[in-house]
Amino acid sequence: MTTTSMADLYSKLGIKRGADEAEIKKAYRKLAKELHPDRNQDNPKAAERFSELTAAYDLLSDRDKRAQYDRGEIDEQGNPKGPFGFGGRGGGGFTPGTGPAGAGFEFGDGADFGDIFEGIFGRSRGGGAGRGPGAARPGGFGGFGTQGGSRPAKGADVAYRLAVPFEDAAALKPQRITLSNGKTIDVKLPNGVESGTQMRLGGQGEDGAGGKGDAIITVDVRPHRFFRRDEDDVRLDLPVAIDEAVAGAKVKVPTVDGAVMLGIPKGTSSGKTLRLKGKGFHRKDGSRGDQLVTVMIDIPAGDADLEAFVETWAGKGQRNPRASLGV
């Protein structure tokens, strides 16, 4: 079973202790793009490194857990440090069936999720493509009983990949998924969701002597044909007619929440970026990014009237729009 390495979590992300939240997030995203399993299908070490990376980010991005870790109260896996180097509740043992980042948490049998776990829990037992079961890990930690004996191991976790449309991820629209037992449920996406985000559903895994394992769902946000994600913002290149740019206009603009009207100021040039507040992705604190709309003036080819106007335009050749470039 793959578990999080005991190396310092800050070094895993390539940052120093004391780094702020923005530095942690930036470092994680950079490394996650390089090590994502989808980009390294022939390199199992990259998948293991990605697992360790996401587990480290999960802990350090949580203020309370990070503070506990910095004080030495919990270890790199989020487990309370006990007198023998491992923690527990009451009896000093790991709870069997929980993953490295989820030790000490309980999950119910309903369709509501607990904390979001962004690590990879266990070894692959299949391709994991689409919405069907992909990978699972046997048992959990187990083995540390509260009365000195061994606890029965829980059943294996079952891994799923959930493809989420770009707009749905930004707007946090519930997603439907069918589990390996045939049960269909609607899941709520968490704040801060992005490709690689993992969610754990207690008691929806395989049967075991100590109870059922969990379902672990990895989110894959699908690319969009004209929207682009930029941190928590959404970017869009918006074609605008020349008369709309010159005279100003109200135009309809698509957003992840549906179309809205946007005012184009008079004399707008290509490249000017306008902002639609609160039309981006949800952050972990519940606030939202914006939609950044970059104007792209559309010049029709072969328009005789427009060509004739330019030939007689009094302002022709009167200014150099490239002067700021030194040419």
Side-chain angles (χ1 to χ4, degrees):
M1 179 178 72
T2 300
T3 59
T4 304
S5 169
M6 297 301 288
D8 179 79
L9 297 184
Y10 292 95
S11 65
K12 288 182 181 295
L13 292 173
I15 56 177
K16 297 180 179 180
R17 286 181 177 266
D20 59 25
E21 293 180 11
E23 291 176 299
I24 293 173
K25 189 173 186 178
K26 182 178 180 181
Y28 168 71
R29 285 189 166 176
K30 179 179 181 296
L31 292 172
K33 288 179 180 178
E34 297 174 2
L35 298 170
H36 196 282
D38 288 348
R39 294 187 175 182
N40 299 273
Q41 296 182 10
D42 298 328
N43 184 2
K45 289 187 177 181
E48 182 177 351
R49 178 76 176 90
F50 180 79
S51 172
E52 296 178 353
L53 175 72
T54 50
Y57 174 72
D58 178 69
L59 191 149
L60 294 181
S61 63
D62 184 307
R63 290 185 181 180
D64 293 335
K65 290 181 181 178
R66 180 183 179 185
Q68 289 179 301
Y69 175 70
D70 288 344
R71 292 194 297 265
E73 297 172 3
I74 60 175
D75 63 19
E76 284 73 9
Q77 295 176 321
N79 301 316
K81 287 188 175 180
F84 301 104
F86 52 85
R89 290 173 295 178
F94 290 113
T95 302
T98 59
F105 287 84
E106 293 288 346
F107 298 88
D109 294 328
D112 290 334
F113 289 97
D115 284 358
I116 303 308
F117 293 86
E118 293 179 311
I120 294 178
F121 302 87
R123 58 178 179 263
S124 175
R125 199 175 59 177
R131 296 181 181 227
R137 63 177 178 87
F141 283 101
F144 297 100
T146 56
Q147 302 300 324
S150 297
R151 291 184 180 180
K154 282 189 177 182
D157 292 346
V158 180
Y160 301 84
R161 294 193 72 85
L162 177 61
V164 180
F166 187 97
E167 300 102 312
D168 289 1
L172 297 186
K173 293 181 180 178
Q175 302 294 299
R176 180 159 295 183
I177 186 170
T178 300
L179 303 178
S180 59
N181 59 10
K183 182 178 180 181
T184 299
I185 60 173
D186 289 329
V187 298
K188 182 179 179 182
L189 298 175
N191 288 331
V193 67
E194 59 187 350
S195 288
T197 293
Q198 292 194 333
M199 302 180 289
R200 179 183 288 262
L201 181 59
Q204 297 296 333
E206 296 183 5
D207 291 323
K212 288 188 173 183
D214 303 331
I216 301 173
I217 301 174
T218 301
V219 173
D220 182 14
V221 179
R222 309 309 296 165
H224 196 275
R225 64 190 183 93
F226 50 75
F227 289 131
R228 307 185 306 278
R229 184 168 185 169
D230 183 1
E231 297 291 335
D232 298 310
D233 295 329
V234 172
R235 287 191 174 272
L236 170 71
D237 292 335
L238 181 71
V240 172
I242 190 169
D243 57 308
E244 294 171 332
V246 172
K250 288 278 189 178
V251 299
K252 187 177 288 188
V253 178
T255 77
V256 294
D257 297 318
V260 300
M261 298 303 294
L262 174 67
I264 305 297
K266 281 185 177 182
T268 294
S269 299
S270 282
K272 182 178 179 62
T273 298
L274 306 174
R275 185 181 299 269
L276 289 170
K277 298 287 291 183
K279 295 297 183 182
F281 278 76
H282 287 74
R283 303 184 181 97
K284 285 191 174 183
D285 63 4
S287 63
R288 289 188 72 171
D290 303 326
Q291 179 166 315
L292 305 177
V293 180
T294 300
V295 173
M296 305 296 290
I297 298 176
D298 181 66
I299 306 294
D303 188 313
D305 290 339
L306 183 58
E307 292 173 0
F309 165 75
V310 172
E311 286 298 324
T312 59
W313 180 40
K316 181 180 178 181
Q318 297 301 306
R319 58 184 294 269
N320 178 11
R322 297 166 293 280
S324 62
L325 303 179
V327 294

